[in-house]
């Protein structure tokens, strides 16, 4: 979920608050090429063939100016240029997306009061097929991930503070839910009305599943029974009251993880024990956006583990950190304008040469070249218009 007007709010209020001002630059469908606002001219492309790769775009179909389903596009892995190709219609409020390890199936949450997860079979000719939707058993699921085995889909219900497990069949379609775990303890943090599960992800070694709960200021560690599809809690780590942890990203070593806390505007380096699954949070660190809160949304780490980037929604910026001491320390380097409004989600391309930012209020996806040596970000040009852009998944 998002945060707006200085307080964490529920999904229905958030969507209702977008209004005309928040969506004035949003077009009714994916695929437009007009810029949202003036921005630097695209870098001159170097010689060599274009390398088009698929890009999928999440949105809110129930928001004013939102899309009609999952946006589809391609991007040039050399220049970062995005070209719209269409929409996978009939997928309700696909606010977060994930792909199966095989690359053949895409999964989307349906962030609605009666939450669901939808599977989409991907086709090279663009005739993608919706395989069906299963209930998550909770309210407003906002995150999902595929277990490395490819056999289980994990999802987080923000509204009801629970996490769910679904089996994945040979075709990529989802079976009936095998588990639903509610976050009943510890009690909600200051200003929260209950638990709000915001993310669920498998540790790099595959041994544990971690769920971040913003409402309880807690990260829960589970073991997944890969035969029955059931979660067993083994530990939990609580950050300072009122921090509002939102998103956890592991260092490639698997021994450290970085936690973005959206309410108190901090980042926390956590030590992680792969043997026990225990997470040990360190001291809060600044986001480089100054006093107050800028509702940090998400962290990504480069494949070599040398740099980390943070999306700041209120500040409309990207923070660059140097990763030091083998992953144990983040050193703040700088912030750069994101070129859009309210960067909800960021992602690195598989090559690591590009960073994509989905800017919710401006309805744009902006792209940056990543300098492999310094970690510096350089704009790839004007933003690509995409209705209420809340997720950008480059493959």
């Amino acid at each position: 979920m998002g945060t707006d007007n200085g307080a964490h709010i529920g999904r229905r209020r958030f969507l209702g608050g977008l209004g005309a001002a928040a969506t004035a630059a949003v077009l009714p469908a994916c695929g437009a090429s007009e810029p949202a606002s003036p921005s630097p001219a695209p870098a001159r492309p170097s010689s060599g063939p274009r390398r088009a790769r698929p890009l999928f775009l999440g949105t809110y179909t129930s928001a004013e100016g939102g899309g009609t389903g999952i946006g589809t596009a391609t991007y040039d892995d050399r220049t970062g240029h995005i070209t719209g190709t269409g929409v996978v219609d009939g997928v309700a409020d696909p606010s977060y997306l994930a792909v199966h390890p095989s690359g053949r199936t895409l999964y989307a949450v349906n962030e609605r009061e009666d939450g669901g997860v939808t599977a989409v079979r991907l086709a090279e000719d663009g005739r993608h097929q919706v395989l069906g939707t299963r209930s998550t058993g909770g309210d407003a699921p906002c995150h999902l991930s595929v277990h490395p085995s490819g056999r289980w889909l994990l999802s987080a219900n923000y509204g009801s503070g629970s996490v769910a497990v679904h089996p994945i069949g040979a075709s990529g379609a989802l079976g009936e839910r095998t588990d639903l775990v509610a976050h009943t303890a510890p009690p909600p943090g200051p200003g929260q009305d209950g638990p709000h599960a915001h993310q669920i992800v498998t540790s790099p070694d595959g041994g544990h599943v971690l769920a971040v709960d913003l409402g309880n200021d807690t990260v829960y560690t589970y073991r997944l029974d890969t035969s029955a599809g059931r979660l067993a809690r083994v530990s939990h780590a609580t950050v300072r009251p009122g921090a509002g942890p939102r998103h956890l990203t592991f260092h490639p070593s698997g021994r450290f993880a970085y936690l973005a806390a959206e309410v108190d505007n901090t980042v926390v380096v956590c030590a992680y024990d792969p043997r026990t699954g225990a997470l040990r949070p360190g001291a809060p660190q600044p986001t480089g956006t100054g006093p107050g809160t800028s509702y940090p949304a998400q962290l990504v780490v480069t494949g070599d583990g040398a740099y980390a980037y943070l999306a700041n929604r209120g500040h409309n910026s990207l923070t660059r950190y140097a990763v030091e001491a083998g992953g144990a320390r983040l050193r703040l380097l700088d912030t750069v304008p994101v070129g859009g409004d309210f960067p909800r989600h960021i992602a690195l391309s598989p090559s690591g040469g590009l960073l994509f930012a989905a800017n919710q209020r401006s309805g744009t996806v902006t792209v940056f070249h990543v300098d492999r040596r310094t970690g510096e970000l350089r704009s790839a040009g004007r933003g690509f218009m995409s209705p209420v852009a809340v997720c950008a998944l480059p493959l």
Side-chain angles (χ1 to χ4, degrees), residues 223-249:
R223 283 197 183 275
L224 173 67
D225 182 331
T226 54
S227 297
R230 298 190 65 83
L231 295 168
R233 188 167 127 187
V234 296
S235 68
H236 71 275
T238 300
V239 295
R240 66 179 181 176
R246 176 186 177 94
H247 190 273
L248 183 81
T249 301

Side-chain angles (χ1 to χ4, degrees), residues 57-362:
L57 305 165
T59 185
Y60 283 121
T61 59
S62 59
E64 181 181 352
T68 60
I70 300 170
T72 63
T74 62
Y75 68 96
D76 187 311
D77 196 36
R78 178 171 45 87
T79 67
H81 178 77
I82 298 174
T83 301
T85 58
V87 179
V88 181
D89 285 314
V91 183
D93 289 319
S95 65
Y96 199 88
L97 310 171
V99 70
H100 191 275
S102 69
R104 295 194 294 265
T105 311
L106 183 73
Y107 300 96
V109 296
N110 308 117
E111 193 174 333
R112 295 192 161 192
E113 186 171 357
D114 182 12
V117 282
T118 296
V120 179
R121 184 71 169 178
L122 300 180
E124 289 188 8
D125 63 3
R127 298 179 182 179
H128 309 308
Q129 178 187 4
V130 177
L131 299 178
T133 298
R134 296 288 186 178
S135 170
T136 61
D139 181 4
C142 64
H143 187 272
L144 81 173
S145 62
V146 183
H147 188 265
S149 67
R151 296 177 52 210
W152 306 99
L153 185 73
L154 312 166
S155 57
N157 293 307
Y158 173 85
S160 49
S162 59
V163 292
V165 183
H166 288 81
I168 298 175
S171 69
L174 298 171
E176 289 291 347
R177 188 178 64 248
T178 55
D179 206 1
L180 180 67
V181 179
H183 295 163
T184 56
Q192 299 294 334
D193 58 1
H196 293 301
H198 215 304
Q199 183 196 27
I200 184 165
V201 64
T202 305
S203 60
D205 62 287
H208 296 90
V209 170
L210 292 89
V212 180
D213 196 294
L214 186 150
N216 289 353
D217 296 317
T218 297
V219 181
Y220 299 88
T221 299
Y222 299 95
R223 283 197 183 275
L224 173 67
D225 182 331
T226 54
S227 297
R230 298 190 65 83
L231 295 168
R233 188 167 127 187
V234 296
S235 68
H236 71 275
T238 300
V239 295
R240 66 179 181 176
R246 176 186 177 94
H247 190 273
L248 183 81
T249 301
F250 276 92
H251 185 267
S253 70
R255 301 305 299 261
F256 299 95
Y258 312 116
L259 186 63
E262 74 166 58
V263 178
D264 74 353
N265 195 38
T266 62
V267 169
V268 177
V269 178
C270 305
Y272 175 73
D273 185 340
R275 184 179 59 84
T276 64
L279 197 71
R280 189 173 72 254
Q285 298 184 222
T287 62
T289 59
T293 183
S294 283
Y295 310 114
Q298 184 179 16
L299 283 152
V300 295
V301 182
T302 57
D304 61 4
Y307 296 96
Y309 305 97
L310 172 70
N312 303 297
R313 288 173 291 171
H315 196 244
N316 286 333
S317 67
L318 301 171
T319 300
R320 177 175 59 121
Y321 296 93
V323 180
E324 300 176 335
R329 186 169 63 242
L330 293 179
R331 178 167 57 89
L332 194 154
L333 295 176
D334 59 17
T335 63
V336 298
V338 74
D341 190 358
F342 217 67
R344 169 74 171 264
H345 175 261
I346 57 175
L348 291 166
S349 63
S351 70
L354 298 171
L355 184 147
F356 294 77
N359 303 297
Q360 181 170 352
R361 292 184 184 165
S362 58

